Amino acid sequence: MLARRIVDVLMTVLLLLLMSLQITEQEGHEYIGMVMVLVVIIHQYLNRKWFSTILKGRYGIVRVLSLAVNISLIVAFTLSAVSGMMIAETFTFLNIESLTEWARSTHLASSYWSFVLMGVHAGMHWGMVAGRIKAKWPGVLGVGMSGYGLYRFIAAKITDYLLLNTQFAFIDYDLPALPVLINNTAMLSFFVLLGYEMSRIAAGIASKRRESIMRPVMILACACAVSLVLVMWMGMPEEEW
């Protein structure tokens, strides 16, 4: 359906912008966030039939994995949206002073979890998308970009945000817009690759075909190897994001 494709592309663009606070700054970030909430609601409406099938049919490993990712993403995005509105400077209708500290830490963690899970979610549906547009992926370029994305993810210490080891994100506002978008796109591409290959591994386990498991495992290993080579060659960049 054309509407679904448009919404999916729009969500991807908005996600990359939301993770690029250096470009949008605070006010733009909040307006984009509100648009993102609206687009996600439209996405849920267009895919409303999925909710009616949750309690129907049998659950194999692929379906369990997909359900776990989808539910986790819904929870993460909901927390990100609500906590974001609570600390917003432009939209003040949900501001509750006593909950500001909770909202800030929750927004930081849930935003990055949403970023990671949206990538995985998109990757798990990539086979269907690729079939429609007759695209071959990941390929050497895709693996290389994903490996670079993993390198940037590690260098940015995003796991500290995911695990709430820190309550403040370092934002370097001196970074040019293009490198920021490239880095964010690369990081997202790694999680798209992860989701895509995870779904193939799960399908291989379900079908008990070793060759269906080994190929995606090797592709993920290659992406990780690219990241390791970059760490050994370039070291960790000084800026975190």
Side-chain angles (χ1 to χ4, degrees):
M1 182 187 296
L2 180 59
R4 290 181 181 177
R5 296 182 190 180
I6 294 174
V7 168
D8 290 345
V9 171
L10 184 57
M11 278 198 304
T12 302
V13 173
L14 291 172
L15 177 63
L16 292 173
L17 290 175
L18 282 172
M19 306 309 291
S20 306
L21 193 59
Q22 303 96 322
I23 300 173
T24 63
E25 298 188 352
Q26 186 64 34
E27 184 176 0
H29 178 79
E30 293 177 13
Y31 277 107
I32 294 170
M34 294 301 289
V35 175
M36 182 67 156
V37 170
L38 177 61
V39 173
V40 168
I41 291 173
I42 295 173
H43 174 79
Q44 300 303 322
Y45 175 76
L46 293 175
N47 294 277
R48 62 192 180 280
K49 289 184 179 179
W50 176 80
F51 292 95
S52 65
T53 64
I54 292 178
L55 299 179
K56 298 179 181 178
R58 298 179 60 184
Y59 272 85
I61 185 171
V62 177
R63 193 177 179 192
V64 169
L65 179 62
S66 178
L67 179 65
V69 171
N70 291 347
I71 295 299
S72 298
L73 176 55
I74 291 172
V75 171
F77 182 80
T78 301
L79 286 172
S80 176
V82 172
S83 60
M85 293 178 194
M86 291 174 66
I87 60 176
E89 298 174 3
T90 306
F91 306 96
T92 58
F93 53 87
L94 275 185
N95 284 14
I96 303 175
E97 188 173 347
S98 61
L99 295 177
T100 298
E101 185 175 348
W102 173 86
R104 289 189 183 281
S105 58
T106 299
H107 187 67
L108 179 62
S110 59
S111 294
Y112 284 103
W113 274 114
S114 297
F115 179 78
V116 168
L117 290 168
M118 281 189 184
V120 174
H121 172 78
M124 295 185 71
H125 292 82
W126 179 259
M128 179 174 58
V129 175
R132 289 174 180 171
I133 63 178
K134 298 181 180 180
K136 293 183 179 180
W137 195 79
V140 175
L141 182 60
V143 171
M145 185 172 186
S146 298
Y148 173 72
L150 177 58
Y151 164 70
R152 292 300 316 181
F153 184 84
I154 295 171
K157 300 179 182 178
I158 294 178
T159 51
D160 286 345
Y161 306 148
L162 296 174
L163 301 176
L164 280 178
N165 291 333
T166 179
Q167 295 185 358
F168 299 96
F170 175 81
I171 305 294
D172 187 351
Y173 288 94
D174 292 329
L175 287 177
L178 184 58
V180 171
L181 289 174
I182 291 175
N183 290 339
N184 288 344
T185 302
M187 283 189 281
L188 185 63
S189 72
F190 171 75
F191 291 104
V192 172
L193 177 69
L194 180 63
Y196 179 59
E197 301 302 351
M198 281 174 53
S199 64
R200 295 176 67 195
I201 292 171
I205 293 173
S207 64
K208 298 180 180 180
R209 296 175 58 186
R210 175 180 288 186
E211 63 275 12
S212 298
I213 300 173
M214 291 305 299
R215 178 175 173 79
V217 168
M218 291 302 297
I219 290 175
L220 286 175
C222 288
C224 292
V226 170
S227 176
L228 180 60
V229 168
L230 288 172
V231 170
M232 295 175 63
W233 178 37
M234 301 175 62
M236 292 297 184
E238 293 182 3
E239 70 275 3
E240 293 187 3
W241 185 251

PDB file of all heavy atoms in Angstrom, residues 50-75 117 120-121 124-125 198:
ATOM      1  N   TRP A  50      -2.960  -6.079  12.689  1.00  0.00           N
ATOM      2  CA  TRP A  50      -1.959  -6.861  13.420  1.00  0.00           C
ATOM      3  C   TRP A  50      -2.382  -7.078  14.860  1.00  0.00           C
ATOM      4  O   TRP A  50      -2.205  -8.169  15.421  1.00  0.00           O
ATOM      5  CB  TRP A  50      -0.610  -6.155  13.377  1.00  0.00           C
ATOM      6  CG  TRP A  50       0.448  -6.855  14.178  1.00  0.00           C
ATOM      7  CD1 TRP A  50       1.177  -7.949  13.818  1.00  0.00           C
ATOM      8  CD2 TRP A  50       0.879  -6.523  15.511  1.00  0.00           C
ATOM      9  NE1 TRP A  50       2.035  -8.312  14.826  1.00  0.00           N
ATOM     10  CE2 TRP A  50       1.880  -7.454  15.875  1.00  0.00           C
ATOM     11  CE3 TRP A  50       0.523  -5.511  16.418  1.00  0.00           C
ATOM     12  CZ2 TRP A  50       2.525  -7.419  17.111  1.00  0.00           C
ATOM     13  CZ3 TRP A  50       1.155  -5.472  17.652  1.00  0.00           C
ATOM     14  CH2 TRP A  50       2.141  -6.419  17.981  1.00  0.00           C
ATOM     15  N   PHE A  51      -2.977  -6.057  15.487  1.00  0.00           N
ATOM     16  CA  PHE A  51      -3.381  -6.164  16.891  1.00  0.00           C
ATOM     17  C   PHE A  51      -4.452  -7.235  17.075  1.00  0.00           C
ATOM     18  O   PHE A  51      -4.487  -7.911  18.109  1.00  0.00           O
ATOM     19  CB  PHE A  51      -3.894  -4.814  17.399  1.00  0.00           C
ATOM     20  CG  PHE A  51      -2.831  -3.763  17.497  1.00  0.00           C
ATOM     21  CD1 PHE A  51      -2.630  -2.863  16.456  1.00  0.00           C
ATOM     22  CD2 PHE A  51      -2.023  -3.670  18.615  1.00  0.00           C
ATOM     23  CE1 PHE A  51      -1.647  -1.888  16.541  1.00  0.00           C
ATOM     24  CE2 PHE A  51      -1.033  -2.704  18.708  1.00  0.00           C
ATOM     25  CZ  PHE A  51      -0.841  -1.812  17.664  1.00  0.00           C
ATOM     26  N   SER A  52      -5.311  -7.401  16.083  1.00  0.00           N
ATOM     27  CA  SER A  52      -6.386  -8.387  16.204  1.00  0.00           C
ATOM     28  C   SER A  52      -5.891  -9.817  16.018  1.00  0.00           C
ATOM     29  O   SER A  52      -6.609 -10.774  16.308  1.00  0.00           O
ATOM     30  CB  SER A  52      -7.490  -8.089  15.175  1.00  0.00           C
ATOM     31  OG  SER A  52      -7.004  -8.259  13.846  1.00  0.00           O
ATOM     32  N   THR A  53      -4.640  -9.978  15.560  1.00  0.00           N
ATOM     33  CA  THR A  53      -4.115 -11.328  15.326  1.00  0.00           C
ATOM     34  C   THR A  53      -3.197 -11.808  16.445  1.00  0.00           C
ATOM     35  O   THR A  53      -2.733 -12.952  16.401  1.00  0.00           O
ATOM     36  CB  THR A  53      -3.322 -11.367  14.003  1.00  0.00           C
ATOM     37  OG1 THR A  53      -2.162 -10.517  14.107  1.00  0.00           O
ATOM     38  CG2 THR A  53      -4.181 -10.905  12.840  1.00  0.00           C
ATOM     39  N   ILE A  54      -2.943 -10.955  17.431  1.00  0.00           N
ATOM     40  CA  ILE A  54      -1.974 -11.311  18.468  1.00  0.00           C
ATOM     41  C   ILE A  54      -2.361 -12.599  19.201  1.00  0.00           C
ATOM     42  O   ILE A  54      -1.497 -13.442  19.488  1.00  0.00           O
ATOM     43  CB  ILE A  54      -1.825 -10.148  19.484  1.00  0.00           C
ATOM     44  CG1 ILE A  54      -1.151  -8.947  18.812  1.00  0.00           C
ATOM     45  CG2 ILE A  54      -1.020 -10.582  20.705  1.00  0.00           C
ATOM     46  CD1 ILE A  54      -1.002  -7.740  19.713  1.00  0.00           C
ATOM     47  N   LEU A  55      -3.626 -12.757  19.496  1.00  0.00           N
ATOM     48  CA  LEU A  55      -4.077 -13.932  20.257  1.00  0.00           C
ATOM     49  C   LEU A  55      -4.554 -15.066  19.353  1.00  0.00           C
ATOM     50  O   LEU A  55      -5.140 -16.041  19.835  1.00  0.00           O
ATOM     51  CB  LEU A  55      -5.201 -13.522  21.219  1.00  0.00           C
ATOM     52  CG  LEU A  55      -4.831 -12.467  22.270  1.00  0.00           C
ATOM     53  CD1 LEU A  55      -6.037 -12.129  23.130  1.00  0.00           C
ATOM     54  CD2 LEU A  55      -3.669 -12.946  23.129  1.00  0.00           C
ATOM     55  N   LYS A  56      -4.292 -14.942  18.068  1.00  0.00           N
ATOM     56  CA  LYS A  56      -4.745 -15.976  17.135  1.00  0.00           C
ATOM     57  C   LYS A  56      -3.550 -16.733  16.539  1.00  0.00           C
ATOM     58  O   LYS A  56      -2.461 -16.176  16.386  1.00  0.00           O
ATOM     59  CB  LYS A  56      -5.556 -15.348  16.004  1.00  0.00           C
ATOM     60  CG  LYS A  56      -6.830 -14.652  16.466  1.00  0.00           C
ATOM     61  CD  LYS A  56      -7.570 -14.029  15.281  1.00  0.00           C
ATOM     62  CE  LYS A  56      -8.837 -13.306  15.734  1.00  0.00           C
ATOM     63  NZ  LYS A  56      -9.539 -12.665  14.587  1.00  0.00           N
ATOM     64  N   GLY A  57      -3.792 -17.993  16.182  1.00  0.00           N
ATOM     65  CA  GLY A  57      -2.771 -18.767  15.495  1.00  0.00           C
ATOM     66  C   GLY A  57      -1.678 -19.293  16.417  1.00  0.00           C
ATOM     67  O   GLY A  57      -1.665 -19.044  17.624  1.00  0.00           O
ATOM     68  N   ARG A  58      -0.750 -20.018  15.827  1.00  0.00           N
ATOM     69  CA  ARG A  58       0.349 -20.636  16.575  1.00  0.00           C
ATOM     70  C   ARG A  58       1.559 -19.694  16.598  1.00  0.00           C
ATOM     71  O   ARG A  58       1.754 -18.900  15.679  1.00  0.00           O
ATOM     72  CB  ARG A  58       0.741 -21.966  15.937  1.00  0.00           C
ATOM     73  CG  ARG A  58      -0.378 -23.002  15.946  1.00  0.00           C
ATOM     74  CD  ARG A  58       0.070 -24.285  15.274  1.00  0.00           C
ATOM     75  NE  ARG A  58       1.228 -24.862  15.956  1.00  0.00           N
ATOM     76  CZ  ARG A  58       1.875 -25.948  15.542  1.00  0.00           C
ATOM     77  NH1 ARG A  58       1.484 -26.552  14.416  1.00  0.00           N
ATOM     78  NH2 ARG A  58       2.897 -26.416  16.221  1.00  0.00           N
ATOM     79  N   TYR A  59       2.353 -19.837  17.637  1.00  0.00           N
ATOM     80  CA  TYR A  59       3.542 -19.004  17.783  1.00  0.00           C
ATOM     81  C   TYR A  59       4.797 -19.861  17.636  1.00  0.00           C
ATOM     82  O   TYR A  59       5.074 -20.728  18.459  1.00  0.00           O
ATOM     83  CB  TYR A  59       3.552 -18.298  19.137  1.00  0.00           C
ATOM     84  CG  TYR A  59       2.841 -16.982  19.129  1.00  0.00           C
ATOM     85  CD1 TYR A  59       1.459 -16.913  19.308  1.00  0.00           C
ATOM     86  CD2 TYR A  59       3.534 -15.793  18.919  1.00  0.00           C
ATOM     87  CE1 TYR A  59       0.789 -15.700  19.288  1.00  0.00           C
ATOM     88  CE2 TYR A  59       2.881 -14.573  18.888  1.00  0.00           C
ATOM     89  CZ  TYR A  59       1.507 -14.526  19.075  1.00  0.00           C
ATOM     90  OH  TYR A  59       0.850 -13.324  19.035  1.00  0.00           O
ATOM     91  N   GLY A  60       5.525 -19.585  16.536  1.00  0.00           N
ATOM     92  CA  GLY A  60       6.835 -20.179  16.360  1.00  0.00           C
ATOM     93  C   GLY A  60       7.888 -19.180  16.767  1.00  0.00           C
ATOM     94  O   GLY A  60       7.580 -18.069  17.212  1.00  0.00           O
ATOM     95  N   ILE A  61       9.142 -19.521  16.595  1.00  0.00           N
ATOM     96  CA  ILE A  61      10.236 -18.668  17.045  1.00  0.00           C
ATOM     97  C   ILE A  61      10.263 -17.323  16.317  1.00  0.00           C
ATOM     98  O   ILE A  61      10.538 -16.285  16.916  1.00  0.00           O
ATOM     99  CB  ILE A  61      11.594 -19.399  16.885  1.00  0.00           C
ATOM    100  CG1 ILE A  61      12.719 -18.532  17.474  1.00  0.00           C
ATOM    101  CG2 ILE A  61      11.868 -19.748  15.429  1.00  0.00           C
ATOM    102  CD1 ILE A  61      14.043 -19.267  17.540  1.00  0.00           C
ATOM    103  N   VAL A  62       9.933 -17.330  15.032  1.00  0.00           N
ATOM    104  CA  VAL A  62       9.932 -16.081  14.269  1.00  0.00           C
ATOM    105  C   VAL A  62       8.845 -15.140  14.771  1.00  0.00           C
ATOM    106  O   VAL A  62       9.074 -13.936  14.984  1.00  0.00           O
ATOM    107  CB  VAL A  62       9.735 -16.353  12.764  1.00  0.00           C
ATOM    108  CG1 VAL A  62       9.656 -15.040  11.992  1.00  0.00           C
ATOM    109  CG2 VAL A  62      10.864 -17.221  12.227  1.00  0.00           C
ATOM    110  N   ARG A  63       7.666 -15.685  15.007  1.00  0.00           N
ATOM    111  CA  ARG A  63       6.551 -14.851  15.457  1.00  0.00           C
ATOM    112  C   ARG A  63       6.771 -14.340  16.878  1.00  0.00           C
ATOM    113  O   ARG A  63       6.422 -13.202  17.188  1.00  0.00           O
ATOM    114  CB  ARG A  63       5.248 -15.646  15.378  1.00  0.00           C
ATOM    115  CG  ARG A  63       4.016 -14.770  15.512  1.00  0.00           C
ATOM    116  CD  ARG A  63       2.736 -15.557  15.369  1.00  0.00           C
ATOM    117  NE  ARG A  63       1.578 -14.680  15.526  1.00  0.00           N
ATOM    118  CZ  ARG A  63       0.335 -15.108  15.680  1.00  0.00           C
ATOM    119  NH1 ARG A  63       0.075 -16.416  15.669  1.00  0.00           N
ATOM    120  NH2 ARG A  63      -0.658 -14.253  15.835  1.00  0.00           N
ATOM    121  N   VAL A  64       7.351 -15.164  17.731  1.00  0.00           N
ATOM    122  CA  VAL A  64       7.648 -14.742  19.098  1.00  0.00           C
ATOM    123  C   VAL A  64       8.653 -13.590  19.089  1.00  0.00           C
ATOM    124  O   VAL A  64       8.502 -12.599  19.809  1.00  0.00           O
ATOM    125  CB  VAL A  64       8.204 -15.918  19.929  1.00  0.00           C
ATOM    126  CG1 VAL A  64       8.767 -15.420  21.251  1.00  0.00           C
ATOM    127  CG2 VAL A  64       7.105 -16.946  20.185  1.00  0.00           C
ATOM    128  N   LEU A  65       9.685 -13.728  18.258  1.00  0.00           N
ATOM    129  CA  LEU A  65      10.703 -12.681  18.143  1.00  0.00           C
ATOM    130  C   LEU A  65      10.084 -11.384  17.647  1.00  0.00           C
ATOM    131  O   LEU A  65      10.357 -10.303  18.187  1.00  0.00           O
ATOM    132  CB  LEU A  65      11.812 -13.138  17.200  1.00  0.00           C
ATOM    133  CG  LEU A  65      12.950 -12.145  16.936  1.00  0.00           C
ATOM    134  CD1 LEU A  65      13.691 -11.829  18.223  1.00  0.00           C
ATOM    135  CD2 LEU A  65      13.912 -12.703  15.889  1.00  0.00           C
ATOM    136  N   SER A  66       9.250 -11.478  16.628  1.00  0.00           N
ATOM    137  CA  SER A  66       8.597 -10.299  16.066  1.00  0.00           C
ATOM    138  C   SER A  66       7.692  -9.633  17.096  1.00  0.00           C
ATOM    139  O   SER A  66       7.694  -8.397  17.233  1.00  0.00           O
ATOM    140  CB  SER A  66       7.780 -10.689  14.837  1.00  0.00           C
ATOM    141  OG  SER A  66       7.092  -9.579  14.299  1.00  0.00           O
ATOM    142  N   LEU A  67       6.929 -10.428  17.833  1.00  0.00           N
ATOM    143  CA  LEU A  67       6.030  -9.876  18.848  1.00  0.00           C
ATOM    144  C   LEU A  67       6.823  -9.171  19.951  1.00  0.00           C
ATOM    145  O   LEU A  67       6.449  -8.075  20.392  1.00  0.00           O
ATOM    146  CB  LEU A  67       5.168 -10.983  19.447  1.00  0.00           C
ATOM    147  CG  LEU A  67       4.191 -10.537  20.541  1.00  0.00           C
ATOM    148  CD1 LEU A  67       3.142  -9.587  19.978  1.00  0.00           C
ATOM    149  CD2 LEU A  67       3.517 -11.756  21.197  1.00  0.00           C
ATOM    150  N   ALA A  68       7.911  -9.786  20.387  1.00  0.00           N
ATOM    151  CA  ALA A  68       8.732  -9.203  21.453  1.00  0.00           C
ATOM    152  C   ALA A  68       9.298  -7.843  21.023  1.00  0.00           C
ATOM    153  O   ALA A  68       9.281  -6.877  21.797  1.00  0.00           O
ATOM    154  CB  ALA A  68       9.859 -10.156  21.825  1.00  0.00           C
ATOM    155  N   VAL A  69       9.784  -7.772  19.783  1.00  0.00           N
ATOM    156  CA  VAL A  69      10.337  -6.514  19.278  1.00  0.00           C
ATOM    157  C   VAL A  69       9.240  -5.462  19.149  1.00  0.00           C
ATOM    158  O   VAL A  69       9.424  -4.303  19.558  1.00  0.00           O
ATOM    159  CB  VAL A  69      11.038  -6.732  17.919  1.00  0.00           C
ATOM    160  CG1 VAL A  69      11.415  -5.390  17.278  1.00  0.00           C
ATOM    161  CG2 VAL A  69      12.285  -7.584  18.097  1.00  0.00           C
ATOM    162  N   ASN A  70       8.099  -5.841  18.603  1.00  0.00           N
ATOM    163  CA  ASN A  70       7.010  -4.881  18.391  1.00  0.00           C
ATOM    164  C   ASN A  70       6.476  -4.319  19.703  1.00  0.00           C
ATOM    165  O   ASN A  70       6.273  -3.103  19.835  1.00  0.00           O
ATOM    166  CB  ASN A  70       5.875  -5.539  17.610  1.00  0.00           C
ATOM    167  CG  ASN A  70       6.248  -5.833  16.170  1.00  0.00           C
ATOM    168  OD1 ASN A  70       7.253  -5.342  15.671  1.00  0.00           O
ATOM    169  ND2 ASN A  70       5.447  -6.642  15.500  1.00  0.00           N
ATOM    170  N   ILE A  71       6.236  -5.196  20.679  1.00  0.00           N
ATOM    171  CA  ILE A  71       5.710  -4.740  21.972  1.00  0.00           C
ATOM    172  C   ILE A  71       6.736  -3.853  22.678  1.00  0.00           C
ATOM    173  O   ILE A  71       6.395  -2.805  23.250  1.00  0.00           O
ATOM    174  CB  ILE A  71       5.336  -5.932  22.860  1.00  0.00           C
ATOM    175  CG1 ILE A  71       4.175  -6.717  22.233  1.00  0.00           C
ATOM    176  CG2 ILE A  71       4.949  -5.454  24.261  1.00  0.00           C
ATOM    177  CD1 ILE A  71       2.900  -5.931  22.050  1.00  0.00           C
ATOM    178  N   SER A  72       8.009  -4.261  22.629  1.00  0.00           N
ATOM    179  CA  SER A  72       9.066  -3.468  23.259  1.00  0.00           C
ATOM    180  C   SER A  72       9.158  -2.087  22.618  1.00  0.00           C
ATOM    181  O   SER A  72       9.351  -1.077  23.307  1.00  0.00           O
ATOM    182  CB  SER A  72      10.411  -4.187  23.139  1.00  0.00           C
ATOM    183  OG  SER A  72      10.387  -5.426  23.816  1.00  0.00           O
ATOM    184  N   LEU A  73       9.009  -2.031  21.297  1.00  0.00           N
ATOM    185  CA  LEU A  73       9.067  -0.762  20.580  1.00  0.00           C
ATOM    186  C   LEU A  73       7.901   0.138  20.956  1.00  0.00           C
ATOM    187  O   LEU A  73       8.078   1.351  21.173  1.00  0.00           O
ATOM    188  CB  LEU A  73       9.080  -1.016  19.077  1.00  0.00           C
ATOM    189  CG  LEU A  73       9.043   0.226  18.163  1.00  0.00           C
ATOM    190  CD1 LEU A  73      10.177   1.186  18.507  1.00  0.00           C
ATOM    191  CD2 LEU A  73       9.128  -0.198  16.696  1.00  0.00           C
ATOM    192  N   ILE A  74       6.702  -0.433  21.053  1.00  0.00           N
ATOM    193  CA  ILE A  74       5.529   0.357  21.435  1.00  0.00           C
ATOM    194  C   ILE A  74       5.718   0.951  22.829  1.00  0.00           C
ATOM    195  O   ILE A  74       5.439   2.133  23.064  1.00  0.00           O
ATOM    196  CB  ILE A  74       4.252  -0.512  21.383  1.00  0.00           C
ATOM    197  CG1 ILE A  74       3.910  -0.858  19.923  1.00  0.00           C
ATOM    198  CG2 ILE A  74       3.079   0.213  22.043  1.00  0.00           C
ATOM    199  CD1 ILE A  74       2.786  -1.863  19.782  1.00  0.00           C
ATOM    200  N   VAL A  75       6.234   0.146  23.758  1.00  0.00           N
ATOM    201  CA  VAL A  75       6.456   0.620  25.127  1.00  0.00           C
ATOM    202  C   VAL A  75       7.522   1.713  25.145  1.00  0.00           C
ATOM    203  O   VAL A  75       7.340   2.770  25.768  1.00  0.00           O
ATOM    204  CB  VAL A  75       6.878  -0.541  26.045  1.00  0.00           C
ATOM    205  CG1 VAL A  75       7.312  -0.016  27.411  1.00  0.00           C
ATOM    206  CG2 VAL A  75       5.735  -1.535  26.205  1.00  0.00           C
ATOM    207  N   LEU A 117      15.265  -0.175  18.521  1.00  0.00           N
ATOM    208  CA  LEU A 117      14.176  -1.101  18.217  1.00  0.00           C
ATOM    209  C   LEU A 117      13.493  -0.772  16.891  1.00  0.00           C
ATOM    210  O   LEU A 117      13.022  -1.686  16.195  1.00  0.00           O
ATOM    211  CB  LEU A 117      13.154  -1.091  19.352  1.00  0.00           C
ATOM    212  CG  LEU A 117      13.651  -1.730  20.659  1.00  0.00           C
ATOM    213  CD1 LEU A 117      12.698  -1.412  21.799  1.00  0.00           C
ATOM    214  CD2 LEU A 117      13.800  -3.237  20.492  1.00  0.00           C
ATOM    215  N   VAL A 120      15.682  -2.417  14.337  1.00  0.00           N
ATOM    216  CA  VAL A 120      15.473  -3.871  14.344  1.00  0.00           C
ATOM    217  C   VAL A 120      14.125  -4.221  13.721  1.00  0.00           C
ATOM    218  O   VAL A 120      14.010  -5.158  12.911  1.00  0.00           O
ATOM    219  CB  VAL A 120      15.557  -4.421  15.782  1.00  0.00           C
ATOM    220  CG1 VAL A 120      15.188  -5.907  15.820  1.00  0.00           C
ATOM    221  CG2 VAL A 120      16.968  -4.217  16.347  1.00  0.00           C
ATOM    222  N   HIS A 121      13.100  -3.461  14.086  1.00  0.00           N
ATOM    223  CA  HIS A 121      11.755  -3.683  13.539  1.00  0.00           C
ATOM    224  C   HIS A 121      11.752  -3.534  12.017  1.00  0.00           C
ATOM    225  O   HIS A 121      11.190  -4.371  11.293  1.00  0.00           O
ATOM    226  CB  HIS A 121      10.788  -2.681  14.169  1.00  0.00           C
ATOM    227  CG  HIS A 121       9.423  -2.670  13.562  1.00  0.00           C
ATOM    228  ND1 HIS A 121       8.466  -3.621  13.837  1.00  0.00           N
ATOM    229  CD2 HIS A 121       8.845  -1.809  12.669  1.00  0.00           C
ATOM    230  CE1 HIS A 121       7.366  -3.361  13.146  1.00  0.00           C
ATOM    231  NE2 HIS A 121       7.569  -2.255  12.433  1.00  0.00           N
ATOM    232  N   MET A 124      13.483  -6.524  10.366  1.00  0.00           N
ATOM    233  CA  MET A 124      12.703  -7.763  10.364  1.00  0.00           C
ATOM    234  C   MET A 124      11.658  -7.763   9.258  1.00  0.00           C
ATOM    235  O   MET A 124      11.154  -8.827   8.879  1.00  0.00           O
ATOM    236  CB  MET A 124      12.043  -7.964  11.729  1.00  0.00           C
ATOM    237  CG  MET A 124      13.037  -8.190  12.849  1.00  0.00           C
ATOM    238  SD  MET A 124      12.274  -8.560  14.442  1.00  0.00           S
ATOM    239  CE  MET A 124      11.648 -10.213  14.120  1.00  0.00           C
ATOM    240  N   HIS A 125      11.323  -6.575   8.746  1.00  0.00           N
ATOM    241  CA  HIS A 125      10.365  -6.481   7.639  1.00  0.00           C
ATOM    242  C   HIS A 125      11.056  -6.145   6.318  1.00  0.00           C
ATOM    243  O   HIS A 125      10.388  -5.899   5.326  1.00  0.00           O
ATOM    244  CB  HIS A 125       9.309  -5.408   7.948  1.00  0.00           C
ATOM    245  CG  HIS A 125       8.399  -5.771   9.079  1.00  0.00           C
ATOM    246  ND1 HIS A 125       8.747  -5.595  10.404  1.00  0.00           N
ATOM    247  CD2 HIS A 125       7.156  -6.322   9.095  1.00  0.00           C
ATOM    248  CE1 HIS A 125       7.760  -6.016  11.174  1.00  0.00           C
ATOM    249  NE2 HIS A 125       6.783  -6.454  10.407  1.00  0.00           N
ATOM    250  N   MET A 198      18.590 -11.415  12.186  1.00  0.00           N
ATOM    251  CA  MET A 198      17.960 -12.140  13.295  1.00  0.00           C
ATOM    252  C   MET A 198      16.727 -12.896  12.821  1.00  0.00           C
ATOM    253  O   MET A 198      16.495 -14.047  13.223  1.00  0.00           O
ATOM    254  CB  MET A 198      17.572 -11.163  14.407  1.00  0.00           C
ATOM    255  CG  MET A 198      18.711 -10.737  15.311  1.00  0.00           C
ATOM    256  SD  MET A 198      18.202  -9.441  16.479  1.00  0.00           S
ATOM    257  CE  MET A 198      16.758 -10.180  17.246  1.00  0.00           C
TER     258      MET A 198
END
